[in-house]
Amino acid sequence: MLSTPNRRGRFSRLAHGIWPVAATGILGCSGFEPSSALPAGAQAITAPAVYQAWWDKTEACSELQGGFGRIRWYEVPGATTFDTDMGPKVGLWIQNGNAVLIVVAGNYVNHEMVVRHEMLHALLAEEGHPSEYFVRRCHLTWESWRG
């Protein structure tokens, strides 16, 4: 899940609830799942063609493989952020059983880092932001993005 800018216009560290970035070494496939509720106003969309190329790049940098076709995509139209139980976000990954959903604020549906950040969550199938993947391998945080 991708956090929103703070008051100084910079983006806060990315974290899911109580999972700090510093906990990267201890996170594994733990069975924890994000909330399964879609944000208010979320509408199903067809993934733009460029998402497949971004998925391929995310698989390559992470050295993980997954099924792009299993993801159901949602947009919150016209939004810069949307509300979640963890605060305002620009992107959200939800796994509920076999269902994989990615929600993106409408103003970020064409932002490669935001979309790929959520794709990486889907590939990892876990909460948190292991530095090995999000920073070192794929550069998919606001601070590490090289786009």
Side-chain angles (χ1 to χ4, degrees):
M1 179 179 316
L2 203 50
S3 297
T4 58
N6 63 26
R7 288 189 182 134
R8 291 183 295 263
R10 293 195 35 92
F11 287 85
S12 59
R13 283 221 175 265
L14 307 174
H16 289 276
I18 62 171
W19 296 101
V21 174
T24 59
I26 61 171
L27 293 176
C29 293
S30 60
F32 288 97
E33 296 179 346
S35 169
S36 61
L38 287 171
Q43 298 177 1
I45 62 168
T46 300
V50 71
Y51 282 18
Q52 180 64 61
W54 292 351
W55 180 262
D56 295 343
K57 287 172 70 172
T58 307
E59 282 185 324
C61 69
S62 67
E63 298 181 354
L64 299 170
Q65 293 186 335
F68 176 78
R70 71 188 172 100
I71 298 172
R72 295 189 318 225
W73 295 91
Y74 293 84
E75 172 186 355
V76 180
T80 299
T81 64
F82 51 83
D83 292 328
T84 72
D85 56 355
M86 294 169 276
K89 304 295 175 189
V90 298
L92 175 66
W93 159 78
I94 301 169
Q95 181 159 353
N96 190 356
N98 290 329
V100 177
L101 316 174
I102 292 179
V103 183
V104 180
N107 293 350
Y108 287 94
V109 294
N110 295 312
H111 193 289
E112 181 178 354
M113 193 279 294
V114 170
V115 174
R116 288 186 55 213
H117 178 98
E118 302 308 330
M119 289 175 170
L120 185 53
H121 278 296
L123 285 167
L124 289 167
E126 68 180 63
E127 294 185 48
H129 299 92
S131 291
E132 175 66 23
Y133 291 95
F134 284 91
V135 177
R136 287 190 290 280
R137 289 181 182 216
C138 297
H139 312 286
L140 294 175
T141 66
W142 295 113
E143 294 83 7
S144 66
W145 179 241
R146 297 178 182 172

